Amino acid sequence: MTPKERQLAAIRREPIDRVPIDAIWIYNQKEIADYLKIDQKQVLEYLGLDGRPILLEYEDEFSNRSDSADVIFWSTTLFEGNSSQYGTSRQYPLSEASSIKDIESYLWPDPAKFGYDNAKALAEKYGDTYALRGPFWLPVFCKVCDLFGMEEAMIKMMTEPAVFEAAIERITVLTIAICERYLEACGDKVDIFQIGDDFAFQRGMMISPSKWREFIKPRLSRLIEIGKRHNKIIWFHSCGDITDVLPDLIDIGIDVWETVQLHTLPVSPQKLKTDYGDHITFFGGINTQKLPFAKPVDIENEVKTCIEALGKNGGYICGPDHTINADVPPENTIALFKTARECRINI
């Protein structure tokens, strides 16, 4: 099977030759290339990843810079110039907003200024070989937290819900416009409409399920409907323990849940498969928090355990449960994907 055929068949629970494998991103590709003595451009193919993300960039994303911070298109801070201080200094352009008028007068990004042509070119280049997904990270809840600041966003949601809702609605409308253009540009080459939002910790939801259903679920539903209208598989990224609202996400149409951090969940992998395996495909499972410190044999055993628990009758894409960072030894990354490629449990 081609990588594209394998991943799409697994999602559709059709016969496959092996469990597909994938990753959000692999940041130690240079180290892997040096270890294997191959070109860095060959790493993803060597590891055997079946899918590729086709991301969407803003044309002016890094044009607004200062000496201390890089600023993305919403005018929020992406990271400090010194990456070792990531997240220690942020700016929140709506932190002082106190009225709907303040929300309306904010300089919102222009949907026309995204790199749709570049996304289309990449989709045409890779779309016959790999299962393509995108545009990926265009969240609504996380973005309102970026704009207000997380603490302020939470306070606004509870004490000034009209102001909070005005902001999250404006974000949603913009995101809908961006996603529509993206899907129209990429056409049939992108098989999977991938979006994401984070609203959980490793031990449960950041906000109550009732508030999530009030403010977030209806907006995610509108985004998912775009993908459904374009006949796309819906791939949704959300970290941590989202089991309180997983049935809601299934109800509004997600087909794939990224990223399944099994070590954060209150249920076993077997129960997760039993309860939800007929409805969604699981992506992830391999604990990235252990990858820098584990021995290859431990990773091999974890991969086999995940495939055995989640891979029966399809509905599982094996991979790390988040990005593989640069501090992971190349041997460990190779062990993860090599074991997954060779494993034939539950096929």
Side-chain angles (χ1 to χ4, degrees):
M1 303 182 78
T2 68
K4 180 188 185 86
E5 291 169 344
R6 181 180 299 113
Q7 189 169 109
L8 297 182
I11 295 170
R12 295 167 179 152
R13 292 165 185 78
E14 298 169 353
I16 50 177
D17 57 346
R18 66 162 172 81
V19 168
I21 56 178
D22 217 324
I24 299 174
W25 194 245
I26 300 173
Y27 284 104
N28 64 343
Q29 290 184 48
K30 181 182 184 303
E31 291 76 9
I32 294 170
D34 291 344
Y35 178 82
L36 295 171
K37 296 181 172 53
I38 62 175
D39 191 288
Q40 187 172 333
K41 294 179 181 179
Q42 298 174 295
V43 168
L44 297 184
E45 185 175 356
Y46 174 89
L47 295 175
L49 273 63
D50 294 296
R52 295 289 188 274
I54 301 296
L55 306 182
L56 187 61
E57 295 182 352
Y58 195 63
E59 291 178 2
D60 303 320
E61 186 155 4
F62 295 104
S63 63
N64 183 11
R65 291 175 179 264
S66 68
D67 291 338
S68 62
D70 292 324
V71 179
I72 63 174
F73 61 87
W74 303 87
S75 298
T76 58
T77 310
L78 180 62
F79 51 78
E80 287 213 3
N82 182 347
S83 60
S84 66
Q85 299 175 348
Y86 181 88
T88 59
S89 177
R90 299 290 300 272
Q91 62 186 53
Y92 306 106
L94 293 181
S95 61
E96 303 297 323
S98 59
S99 67
I100 293 175
K101 183 178 180 181
D102 290 337
I103 303 302
E104 292 173 344
S105 62
Y106 176 65
L107 184 61
W108 295 94
D110 182 355
K113 290 188 175 181
F114 285 79
Y116 304 106
D117 289 343
N118 186 54
K120 178 182 179 180
L122 289 172
E124 290 176 346
K125 180 177 181 180
Y126 295 109
D128 292 334
T129 305
Y130 300 102
L132 304 185
R133 61 187 186 270
F136 183 39
W137 194 243
L138 290 171
V140 292
F141 176 71
C142 280
K143 187 51 59 185
V144 80
C145 290
D146 283 346
L147 293 171
F148 283 122
M150 181 168 284
E151 182 177 356
E152 185 64 22
M154 300 291 193
I155 293 171
K156 283 280 194 294
M157 182 173 61
M158 301 303 294
T159 64
E160 300 176 80
V163 176
F164 179 89
E165 187 152 27
I168 200 169
E169 177 61 18
R170 186 62 182 269
I171 292 165
T172 302
V173 170
L174 276 170
T175 304
I176 287 171
I178 294 164
C179 290
E180 287 276 15
R181 291 189 185 210
Y182 172 89
L183 291 176
E184 289 169 4
C186 293
D188 292 339
K189 294 296 184 180
V190 168
D191 312 284
I192 301 164
F193 179 48
Q194 182 188 22
I195 55 174
D197 214 337
D198 284 333
F199 34 74
F201 301 110
Q202 292 194 171
R203 293 295 177 264
M205 297 284 287
M206 294 181 191
I207 61 176
S208 69
S210 63
K211 289 297 180 185
W212 183 89
R213 292 181 182 111
E214 178 181 355
F215 290 109
I216 302 174
K217 180 179 179 179
R219 292 173 170 88
L220 291 180
S221 180
R222 286 156 60 191
L223 282 168
I224 287 169
E225 177 57 28
I226 297 169
K228 294 296 186 184
R229 283 195 284 103
H230 285 266
N231 297 313
K232 304 298 183 185
I233 292 166
I234 309 299
W235 181 306
F236 186 72
H237 169 101
S238 200
C239 297
D241 177 11
I242 63 168
T243 51
D244 281 344
V245 298
L246 189 53
D248 296 82
L249 289 164
I250 293 170
D251 178 62
I252 60 177
I254 74 164
D255 299 302
V256 182
W257 172 26
E258 171 199 309
T259 172
V260 181
Q261 295 177 290
L262 293 172
H263 63 100
T264 74
L265 304 183
V267 297
S268 68
Q270 293 78 11
K271 183 167 175 53
L272 188 72
K273 181 73 170 182
T274 298
D275 290 351
Y276 303 111
D278 291 338
H279 307 288
I280 55 173
T281 292
F282 305 106
F283 166 64
I286 312 303
N287 189 343
T288 53
Q289 294 175 20
K290 292 182 177 180
L291 280 182
F293 317 108
K295 296 179 180 179
V297 66
D298 299 324
I299 297 167
E300 292 168 8
N301 290 335
E302 185 176 3
V303 169
K304 292 174 184 176
T305 298
C306 284
I307 291 176
E308 184 171 13
L310 299 175
K312 187 175 182 180
N313 299 322
Y316 179 48
I317 300 166
C318 186
D321 67 7
H322 214 282
T323 55
I324 295 181
N325 290 326
D327 60 348
V328 175
E331 302 94 316
N332 288 3
T333 305
I334 293 167
L336 190 165
F337 291 108
K338 181 176 185 293
T339 305
R341 286 198 315 270
E342 296 176 353
C343 186
R344 295 296 183 270
I345 300 171
N346 285 331
I347 296 301

